[in-house]
Amino acid sequence: DAGVTQSPTHLIKTRGQQVTLRCSPKSGHDTVSWYQQALGQGPQFIFQYYEEEERQRGNFPDRFSGHQFPNYSSELNVNALLLGDSALYLCASHQRQPFLDEQFFGPGTRLTVL
Amino acid sequence: GENVEQHPSTLSVQEGDSAVIKCTYSDSASNYFPWYKQELGKRPQLIIDIRSNVGEKKDQRIAVTLNKTAKHFSLHITETQPEDSAVYFCAASIVASGTYKYIFGTGTRLKVLA
């Protein structure tokens, strides 16, 4: 049973570019959350998707957008990249029912913006 | 607002001593509190969790306590070993829109000195 997977592992972009990160949830999970973890900080909640819609959103600008596909996989898009967007981007999945509270994290995508 | 405070930010202990990390949360509706261990460049790994209907939970050398009235929860590691050195994050589950997200603390860098 595969856990949460993310791609790519590492990514280097320049300011102003756009990036797309991908996540496949753990088998049986239907909800995907994205977190941004800057160096030396705790993960910060970006947004969450289930039933192919954004359900919750943290304090992130509209440059951050996402999508969820019918197979529950998800993408995180960031436009007009800033140096401050450099971080580890973590995807976490869980199943909405039964309501168990546990989330499972992927290995992350390390984004570097130059 | 939604907030989790974590202290201390760094903690150095001698091998074999105990380590205690404390967190305070703001949302009184939170009912699930996981603790994660994160090694450099890796994903957060769940090490122990506690639900609001329980005051204490123990798993070998690791224990977590919860005081819902004070909105405090703590991680206790006994008989520390060099391999316990890592960054530890507490989190509180926030329920909204029929699902939940995590609010993380800022992390504690634990160094176990041999």
Side-chain angles (χ1 to χ4, degrees), chain A residues 38-87:
Chain A
L39 196 62
Q41 302 293 319
Q44 299 289 318
F45 177 76
I46 303 174
F47 44 52
Q48 183 178 87
Y49 280 83
Y50 66 84
E51 295 180 347
E52 301 178 46
E53 291 189 17
E54 181 182 298
R55 301 295 180 171
Q56 294 194 65
R57 189 177 183 92
N59 188 26
F60 280 80
D62 292 344
R63 298 187 297 110
F64 289 77
S65 63
H67 190 76
Q68 185 179 37
F69 299 94
N71 66 353
Y72 307 122
S73 66
S74 176
E75 288 182 349
L76 163 65
N77 301 293
V78 187
N79 295 322
L81 285 167
L82 303 174
L83 295 179
D85 295 331
S86 295

Side-chain angles (χ1 to χ4, degrees), chain A residues 4 26 29 31-35 45 48 91-95 100-105, chain B residues 32 34 36 44 46 93-94 99-102 104:
Chain A
V4 181
K26 181 179 169 62
H29 289 183
T31 302
V32 173
S33 301
W34 287 93
Y35 293 82
F45 177 76
Q48 183 178 87
C91 168
S93 72
H94 69 270
Q95 58 190 55
L100 296 177
D101 293 311
E102 298 173 45
Q103 293 190 16
F104 293 78
F105 283 87
Chain B
Y32 175 71
Y36 288 86
L46 178 70
S93 178
I94 306 292
T99 182
Y100 53 90
K101 64 184 180 184
Y102 290 171
F104 283 85

